[in-house]
Amino acid sequence: MILFPNCKINLGLHVTNKRPDGFHDLETVFYPLPVNDALEAITHSELQFESSGIPVPGNAADNLCLKAFHLLKQDFPQLPALHIHLHKHIPIGAGLGGGSADAAFMLRLIDQKFQLGLTEAALLVYAAQLGSDCPFFIINKPCFATGRGEIIEPLTLDLSGYSFMLVHPGIHVNTGWAFKQLTPKAPAYALKEIIGQPVTTWKDVLVNDFEEAVFAAHPAIGKIKEQLYAAGAVYSAMSGSGSAVLGIFPKNKIADILWDASYRVFTIR
């Protein structure tokens, strides 16, 4: 069986509180976009994991896809071993949620392949054990997220009348470092109210709290945002803690932009 985990973008991102457990409370809107990995699993004599495409850092045994398998195996010991192949296309460490998507889609794949009959609520519980962003990819529709990102509320938000450009400059922004640069505070504007307004009104009020510090440390990322606006984007922002930057354009009106040859650029028309 093969599934195609997709990425997400953040529309607005506020860090509102430092929690006693060391994590931060935040609020954001997750929106799915069709930039995809490919995740395939077949029954095998022993559990194996391999990847292709963008190199996946770290020990393969620690991959979230394997962690998803082991998590379900605890409650469903009858699950057979799998040969898992992940083709990585979503940039890593870009604020696009690729690793979280892979983990959530692994849960969905196993549920479907072996007809476990898991409800969405059950899948959300499993996903939350794998990572803060993972529950979003179970629902995989526009959502307002709070807590660490795991408390999600579906939203009516349809941006199909726009085109998107995602630009990843290949710069690694350490998430822990990024959080340390912020002083948590209540947002100046109510995020859900802003999202309900026309996209053309978002520019000065729908903000990502990480941008100021990240742009100061990595001016090239801020420059991407400037270039997207100069090319006609109606809204642009960094996704997550970076380093990918999104631009929302009028439908089919994405201008040709001469990017650095090392950048990875995705257009969704």
Side-chain angles (χ1 to χ4, degrees):
M1 174 176 262
I2 185 167
L3 296 179
F4 298 93
N6 57 271
C7 78
K8 60 80 179 169
I9 54 173
N10 294 81
L11 297 172
L13 177 53
H14 302 299
V15 180
T16 60
N17 182 50
K18 177 73 178 288
R19 296 155 44 132
D21 61 7
F23 291 97
H24 291 79
D25 285 321
L26 55 84
E27 63 175 36
T28 189
V29 170
F30 291 134
Y31 193 88
L33 285 179
V35 176
N36 302 85
D37 290 340
L39 179 65
E40 183 179 26
I42 59 174
T43 303
H44 200 260
S45 58
E46 59 181 318
L47 181 61
Q48 295 181 348
F49 174 84
E50 64 179 7
S51 65
S52 57
I54 299 171
V56 178
N59 190 330
D62 296 327
N63 188 273
L64 282 172
C65 294
L66 284 179
K67 290 185 177 181
F69 173 84
H70 289 304
L71 187 62
L72 289 179
K73 181 76 170 176
Q74 292 175 8
D75 292 340
F76 299 92
Q78 75 276 18
L79 287 175
L82 295 175
H83 182 104
I84 302 166
H85 185 104
L86 172 65
H87 183 76
K88 198 73 189 142
H89 181 63
I90 302 170
I92 295 171
L96 298 176
S100 297
D102 297 336
F105 273 69
M106 191 74 233
L107 295 174
R108 293 168 59 179
L109 185 153
I110 294 171
D111 177 47
Q112 294 172 32
K113 182 175 178 65
F114 299 106
Q115 300 180 342
L116 301 182
L118 293 171
T119 63
E120 182 179 272
L123 286 167
L124 287 170
V125 171
Y126 284 118
Q129 297 176 64
L130 294 171
S132 300
D133 291 352
C134 292
F136 164 71
F137 290 102
I138 298 298
I139 295 179
N140 214 20
K141 297 177 181 178
C143 289
F144 178 67
T146 54
R148 291 182 291 122
E150 83 285 8
I151 303 171
I152 47 181
E153 172 191 341
L155 289 176
T156 301
L157 177 61
D158 181 6
L159 299 179
S160 61
Y162 293 89
S163 295
F164 293 80
M165 179 175 283
L166 298 179
V167 184
H168 180 235
I171 297 170
H172 176 70
V173 179
N174 182 279
T175 301
W177 170 87
F179 271 105
K180 289 178 181 177
Q181 309 311 304
L182 301 182
T183 300
K185 61 184 184 300
Y189 300 93
L191 185 52
K192 283 202 288 187
E193 291 183 11
I194 297 169
I195 286 292
Q197 302 302 312
V199 178
T200 52
T201 68
W202 289 359
K203 181 176 180 179
D204 296 319
V205 291
L206 188 63
V207 300
N208 179 339
D209 286 351
F210 288 106
E211 284 190 353
E212 183 177 358
V214 171
F215 289 178
H218 305 283
I221 303 175
K223 181 65 175 178
I224 293 171
K225 180 175 178 177
E226 294 174 6
Q227 288 178 272
L228 287 166
Y229 272 129
V234 294
Y235 178 72
S236 179
M238 188 174 70
S239 187
S241 58
S243 59
V245 182
L246 64 106
I248 303 178
F249 290 81
K251 192 70 172 178
N252 296 321
K253 292 186 178 179
I254 296 181
D256 290 329
I257 306 172
L258 185 61
W259 299 109
D260 186 290
S262 65
Y263 290 6
R264 296 193 67 204
V265 181
F266 306 88
T267 55
I268 300 101
R269 300 183 187 277

